[in-house]
Amino acid sequence: MKLSNRLLNITQGGSDGWEVFYQAREMKNSGVDVLELTIGEHDKKTDPSIISAMDASARAGNTGYAIVPGWRGLREAIAARVEKQTGVPTTYENVLVTTGGQAALFACNVALHDEGDVALYCDPYYATYPGGIRATGARAVAVPTRSSLNFQPEPGEIEKRAEGAKSLLINTPNNPSGVVYSRETLEGIARVCKRHDITLVSDEVYDTQVWEGEHFSPRALPGMIERTLVVGSMSKSYAMTGFRVGWIIGPEHVIKNLINLSTVTTYGVPGFIQEAAYFALTQGDGIEVSVAEVFRHRRGLAREVLAGSNAIRLIPSQGAMYLMLDIRATGLSGQGFAHRLLDEENIAVMPGESFGASTAGHVRVAMTIDDDLFVDALRRIVSFTEKQVE
Ligand code: PLP
């Protein structure tokens, strides 16, 4: 069967950057005690009250086809959450419920790109970004950021690549770097978007996990409401990764058109999942806060352990569930470091190169294991790193 270029170009036939993760899983399956600090999956599971709400909904018969754009109650609850967080008037007609943030990102790419269009994205990036852009026939162009600026994007770098670009994809709080874009950065980005008629796709799935500064949604900036699509999700904020429920916030006419995409792809999100999400969103912010607290606490522990190390520079980790460690003092690449750490210490971390050229010579540590194991892993990473520089 001859496959389409769009499909084959998603990974461009190259590595997907997840070799260390696969190797760690294989080691685990063969009985080796591996500490996995790789993927953004909570160790503390979904609040039982959310599971009960899902169960009650399914048992009450909510197991048929759901309304494609999302049940109005859920769309309203999402709109209310966004309006409360950002102050920007938002109604259910600005909301499309999707199968997770991932499907929301894909829908944004379909909404904005024709074959050959240029789509910009900030590097480092969530690993699916360029593939998602290429899957819609567009050309993915990375905008580099600098470790010395803690990966805060520079609007000037975006400006250099902006001529003719259709879209710009950003992510704050950022996976993998932990940077929270400052208001000043976002204002600069908004200026570039307006000057070059670029649509901004703002991935805000970590909006409740901010440890330093404040999350600010660029949709709230003057003149941006009509040119911004916001991607949100229940995955990270409510530890509901497996439920697959997220959303897009955008202008009414965009949402109306995107409903057609959902109709021909997912045909909506299961009704009992939507009710579980509705339940979660209407319980006040207690659940979100307790999910975030786990990572806030571990981030504090990590700062203590890493403070004494000359070999590792911790990028400040202002938000999200990851630490980015600059290990260039070892002379190793992120990949080389991660493989050696796995082989010698049975600790799995992600090479920075998996998230773009800007984080070469860095590794990403997910703060997703129990506190004591986490501290132990970090101590061993520190002494391993120090041995490499001796
Ligand atoms: N965006 C970012 C930055 C992510 O890190 C992830 C998942 O790791 C997603 C989007 C997709 O999340 P989901 O599809 O589970 O909502």
Side-chain angles (χ1 to χ4, degrees), residues 100-102 105 126 129 171 175 203 205-206 233 235-236 244:
Q102 191 62 56
L105 285 164
Y126 169 47
Y129 280 4
N171 169 222
N175 172 14
D203 179 343
V205 302
Y206 294 99
S233 174
S235 288
K236 310 295 178 176
R244 312 309 304 133

Side-chain angles (χ1 to χ4, degrees), residues 18 39-41 98-105 125-129 170-176 203-206 231-236 240-247 320-322 364:
W18 287 83
I39 54 171
E41 180 85 271
T98 61
T99 44
Q102 191 62 56
L105 285 164
Y125 50 86
Y126 169 47
T128 69
Y129 280 4
I170 61 170
N171 169 222
T172 178
N174 186 264
N175 172 14
D203 179 343
E204 303 178 21
V205 302
Y206 294 99
V231 170
S233 174
M234 299 297 286
S235 288
K236 310 295 178 176
M240 288 173 68
T241 49
F243 285 66
R244 312 309 304 133
V245 55
W247 57 81
M321 52 216 274
Y322 313 97
R364 188 193 76 171

